[in-house]
Amino acid sequence: QVQITESGGGSVQAGGSLTLTCTTLELEFDNFAMTWFRQAPGKKREGVSCIEWNGVTKHYAEAVQGRFTTSRDNVKNTADLQMNALKPEDTGIYYCAAASTCLDTIQGLENWVEHWGQGTQVTVSS
């Protein structure tokens, strides 16, 4: 059974940094794009980033472009989300997910997700 687990969440002040790590088990990791989503309180879940199986093609939501960087390790079967210059509006539950493709944009990415993690809380205080 596929397992996806996020770690690295926590509380940080605005301007700070966090790195989230996504660890997978029983997933044919090389066959999937790895994505990050987030859900703020009272809001819909939104796509944050996506990295294709080859680690080359990446897409980011406009709100995090230039501040967040996603990467993957196809040997360790892990994916990371490096978050810099965090803002209070980045607060939310962050989910790692395995998708069949990144598409050409973050919009609609959720429709391509096949496996979800349970999420990790990120809180940014002002």
Side-chain angles (χ1 to χ4, degrees):
Q1 183 176 355
V2 172
Q3 295 182 42
I4 296 178
T5 305
E6 303 90 343
S7 61
S11 298
V12 64
Q13 289 192 325
S17 298
L18 283 174
T19 299
L20 305 182
T21 296
C22 175
T23 303
T24 70
L25 292 175
E26 301 300 325
L27 179 71
E28 294 184 18
F29 194 75
D30 291 3
N31 290 346
F32 287 91
M34 296 306 297
T35 69
W36 289 93
F37 291 79
R38 68 185 181 186
Q39 187 166 19
K43 295 188 176 181
K44 292 183 178 180
R45 185 161 52 191
E46 63 178 358
V48 174
S49 69
C50 188
I51 181 169
E52 280 287 8
W53 66 272
N54 59 11
V56 175
T57 302
K58 303 177 186 181
H59 300 298
Y60 297 94
E62 186 174 344
V64 307
Q65 186 79 41
R67 299 187 298 120
F68 291 12
T69 302
T70 188
S71 60
R72 65 187 292 157
D73 186 325
N74 286 357
V75 174
K76 296 180 180 179
N77 292 350
T78 60
D80 285 351
L81 183 67
Q82 171 70 42
M83 306 185 294
N84 298 324
L86 283 161
K87 305 175 181 180
E89 51 263 43
D90 294 319
T91 294
I93 300 174
Y94 282 69
Y95 299 89
C96 177
S100 56
T101 179
C102 280
L103 302 177
D104 292 327
T105 175
I106 288 291
Q107 299 299 322
L109 183 61
E110 192 161 341
N111 295 324
W112 297 91
V113 170
E114 298 190 22
H115 305 284
W116 289 96
Q118 293 299 308
T120 185
Q121 177 70 44
V122 171
T123 303
V124 184
S125 58
S126 57

